[in-house]
Amino acid sequence: MKGYHDIVGDGGSRVLEQVADQRTRITDGLAGVRHLVAVGSGKGGVGKSTLTLHLAGALRARGLRIAILDADFNGPSQARMAGVQGALFVPGSHKVALPRTRNGIGVFSMGSLIPESESLEFESAAQGESHTWRATREFALLGEILGSVEWGALDLLMFDLPPGAERTVQYADFLGPRTSFLLVTIPSNVARGVVARSVAALSKGPNRLLGYVENMSGYFCRDCNAIKPLFVSPEPFDAAQGRPSGLEIPCLGTVPFDPELARLCDTGIPLAELPETPVGRALEHVAQQLLDTLESTTPASAHGSRELRPGKEPRR
């Protein structure tokens, strides 16, 4: 019986050729996207998905062309929050067109395809062994989505990543060095500790770390029109460094929790339909910081010389 090392090449399966073909389709499909930004944390429950959607909304309000890929295939939430549950994916001449939110953000989420009462299943011939290859199937699915969707010309494609510090690194490896990372935490030692691990792991690779956002930094009390503490901050904020002490990447902003925002997420209503609130102003600040950081770390020659200018439709 032949061993693994006795097989020459791919054993006639043409796996390498198929992988190369998929990579070519992905590269071609994303050629019109100026920036790839993955929003991750490592820690679950910090509001990554909510922040991704409403940050995208703040960027879209500035006239930028935005799309979101909900990469949490097992716990997709963008479809409900963006109001595209049950939306139809319309086949084009070559690829599939994205459903869009009422404010024009393209969204791919498995929540548009699979009801919340069902789960995404990867069938396994070996009972009890699916954990050994499930991640491989998930990344194969991600590759198919990237290569099969008509992304078109975008200023930003944002990836809403699943939780798990090791998953963040896996996505960095799969998406490649062109993808920048924005991390999300909350003001607690537990969450910051996991984010610190993600920072350490990502720092070993070629991907840019844009910074992080501290979510749920207090809550907006509508009765008293003030921001009240939600957590006891574990460490003092270092204003000179622009981050809480102990974290080694810049803080792009802090966003308070607003119960009304949670209601909007449940009903698929954009934040823009709320009157101006502290959370809206905080997201505007983070959006500006994100744009400034992206432009400061991108050569002027990369993907054309177009700049991302808030308040203006990007020059085409």
Side-chain angles (χ1 to χ4, degrees):
M1 179 181 295
K2 287 186 176 182
Y4 175 80
H5 295 287
D6 297 322
I7 300 176
V8 179
D10 60 9
S13 65
R14 300 178 60 205
V15 169
L16 297 179
E17 182 181 333
Q18 293 175 48
V19 170
D21 287 345
Q22 184 186 68
R23 281 293 174 184
T24 299
R25 287 191 293 114
I26 292 173
T27 300
D28 292 345
L30 297 178
V33 180
R34 180 166 171 76
H35 292 291
L36 304 175
V37 176
V39 183
S41 172
K43 182 65 177 172
V46 297
K48 270 189 323 296
S49 298
T50 303
L51 187 70
T52 300
L53 177 65
H54 293 296
L55 186 55
L59 294 167
R60 176 61 190 159
R62 294 164 178 250
L64 303 183
R65 298 162 297 179
I66 310 294
I68 297 172
L69 196 163
D70 188 349
D72 191 349
F73 298 143
N74 301 294
S77 54
Q78 291 294 344
R80 171 179 284 278
M81 295 193 303
V84 294
Q85 276 185 309
L88 297 177
F89 287 79
V90 181
S93 55
H94 298 289
K95 297 190 176 184
V96 177
L98 279 176
R100 294 190 175 275
T101 64
R102 64 176 73 182
N103 55 343
I105 299 170
V107 177
F108 181 94
S109 175
M110 293 304 292
S112 297
L113 302 172
I114 301 176
E116 291 178 340
S117 58
E118 300 178 12
S119 63
L120 177 63
E121 298 291 341
F122 291 109
E123 294 184 3
S124 173
Q127 294 297 322
E129 299 297 328
S130 64
H131 64 279
T132 61
W133 57 279
R134 185 179 180 92
T136 302
R137 292 291 299 274
E138 289 178 0
F139 281 109
L141 175 58
L142 176 60
E144 286 298 316
I145 293 166
L146 287 170
S148 302
V149 169
E150 184 59 67
W151 300 106
L154 293 173
D155 293 298
L156 278 89
L157 172 56
M158 304 180 73
F159 297 88
D160 180 12
L161 301 187
E166 80 291 346
R167 302 287 280 154
T168 303
V169 178
Q170 289 173 345
Y171 276 88
D173 289 340
F174 184 85
L175 295 172
R178 189 184 158 197
T179 303
S180 302
F181 278 74
L182 175 65
L183 301 180
V184 182
T185 187
I186 57 175
S188 80
N189 276 330
V190 172
R192 286 181 183 169
V194 177
V195 170
R197 294 180 189 278
S198 296
V199 170
L202 288 169
S203 297
K204 298 175 183 177
N207 301 81
R208 289 177 293 168
L209 267 169
L210 302 172
Y212 78 97
V213 176
E214 185 171 89
N215 202 20
M216 305 185 206
S217 58
Y219 74 95
F220 176 46
C221 173
R222 291 179 172 273
D223 293 334
C224 52
N225 195 33
I227 303 296
K228 299 290 187 178
L230 187 59
F231 295 88
V232 176
S233 184
E235 296 179 14
F237 192 84
D238 187 340
Q241 295 295 324
R243 60 179 181 248
S245 14
L247 288 177
E248 301 302 324
I249 58 174
C251 179
L252 300 191
T254 60
V255 180
F257 174 76
D258 186 341
E260 182 66 7
L261 181 63
R263 186 188 70 81
L264 294 182
C265 288
D266 283 344
T267 54
I269 300 175
L271 177 65
E273 299 194 12
L274 269 181
E276 186 174 326
T277 60
V279 67
R281 290 191 292 271
L283 287 166
E284 283 293 326
H285 173 75
V286 173
Q288 182 62 61
Q289 292 292 104
L290 176 61
L291 294 180
D292 290 346
T293 304
L294 284 169
E295 289 304 305
S296 69
T297 55
T298 303
S301 59
H303 310 291
S305 59
R306 181 184 65 215
E307 295 181 0
L308 302 179
R309 296 187 178 276
K312 295 183 179 181
E313 182 72 16
R315 298 191 298 276
R316 291 175 173 79

